[in-house]
Amino acid sequence: ANEKILEVWGKTREIVGLPLASALPELDGQPFLEILDDVFATREPFYANEIPALLEHGGTLKQLFFNVVYQPIFDQHDNVSDIVIVAVDVTEQVNSRKSLEISEQHFRKLSDLVPVKISNALPNGEVTFFNQGWLDFSGLSFEDLRDFGYFQMIHPDEIENFQQGLLQASKTGVPFISEMRFKNKDGQ
């Protein structure tokens, strides 16, 4: 165990030489010891991204996330002699993404409550969001609206100006503001 993994585990060099189950008793009930057994038995490597682990740090269990590889090492008789574990601590990235997802869910809920139509598109034009106001107005699902249903609702005389305005906004970063006519789900 190198210094970095000891730090991540919240342990000292005193655990080196101990069986993993003894060195990290908090792994009991978690999948890691079983993964080791499976790699040993199947002779196949194991890969996982963002696998959660509860590790004891100073008497407190701490949830961490890892991208891991369990790689079997074979001896001269083609028997599994060792398993090298490479673990990358991705806790900060996972926690940041989860916070962002919570914030996005909050935004989506708020945008569905206001009596306006809200959409979001990437600079390349890919639409990533239509609020409930758009879905109710159009009578279309997000997927149908995203897949050019939006253009079916725009009055034909408005489409070219709309496309040019979006293109200019994506190039300059200056918001595009216009008034446009849209057909609702009743064809009005």
Side-chain angles (χ1 to χ4, degrees):
N2 67 11
E3 292 302 319
K4 184 62 180 169
I5 198 65
L6 290 172
E7 178 187 321
V8 169
W9 285 346
K11 306 296 184 223
T12 65
R13 294 211 69 65
E14 293 174 3
I15 68 163
V16 174
L18 295 176
L20 194 57
S22 300
L24 298 163
E26 64 268 29
L27 293 183
D28 186 36
Q30 297 185 58
F32 304 101
L33 299 174
E34 187 176 317
I35 292 169
L36 279 170
D37 290 342
D38 287 347
V39 170
F40 186 77
T42 65
R43 303 167 49 91
E44 296 292 324
F46 173 84
Y47 305 92
N49 289 321
E50 298 182 2
I51 190 168
L54 291 173
L55 297 172
E56 186 180 322
H57 282 248
T60 303
L61 282 179
K62 195 173 157 183
Q63 185 172 49
L64 302 170
F65 295 88
F66 297 95
N67 291 348
V68 297
V69 176
Y70 287 62
Q71 180 66 48
I73 304 297
F74 301 96
D75 64 17
Q76 66 272 20
H77 304 292
D78 201 35
N79 296 315
V80 176
S81 61
D82 296 288
I83 298 173
V84 173
I85 303 170
V86 178
V88 178
D89 182 358
V90 293
T91 305
E92 187 175 327
Q93 293 92 323
V94 170
N95 289 338
S96 294
R97 189 190 74 246
K98 285 182 176 190
S99 293
L100 184 61
E101 288 169 354
I102 289 168
S103 176
E104 182 179 350
Q105 288 172 358
H106 181 71
F107 161 77
R108 287 177 182 267
K109 286 178 184 175
L110 283 175
S111 69
D112 284 341
L113 293 174
V114 294
V116 295
K117 294 163 194 63
I118 299 172
S119 62
N120 188 54
L122 300 175
N124 68 3
E126 178 188 349
V127 178
T128 59
F129 178 74
F130 288 106
N131 76 336
Q132 194 62 46
W134 270 120
L135 301 179
D136 292 344
F137 179 82
S138 68
L140 299 172
S141 69
F142 168 79
E143 291 76 15
D144 291 338
L145 202 52
R146 177 198 62 208
D147 297 340
F148 298 104
Y150 194 73
F151 285 101
Q152 294 170 10
M153 293 180 357
I154 298 174
H155 191 284
D157 294 344
E158 314 276 3
I159 291 175
E160 186 177 340
N161 183 49
F162 176 67
Q163 289 177 317
Q164 291 300 317
L166 288 181
L167 181 63
Q168 188 65 22
S170 71
K171 286 181 180 177
T172 64
V174 176
F176 169 62
I177 300 170
S178 73
E179 292 184 10
M180 298 171 53
R181 296 170 283 176
F182 288 91
K183 187 184 331 176
N184 68 13
K185 65 183 174 187
D186 300 323
Q188 300 296 314

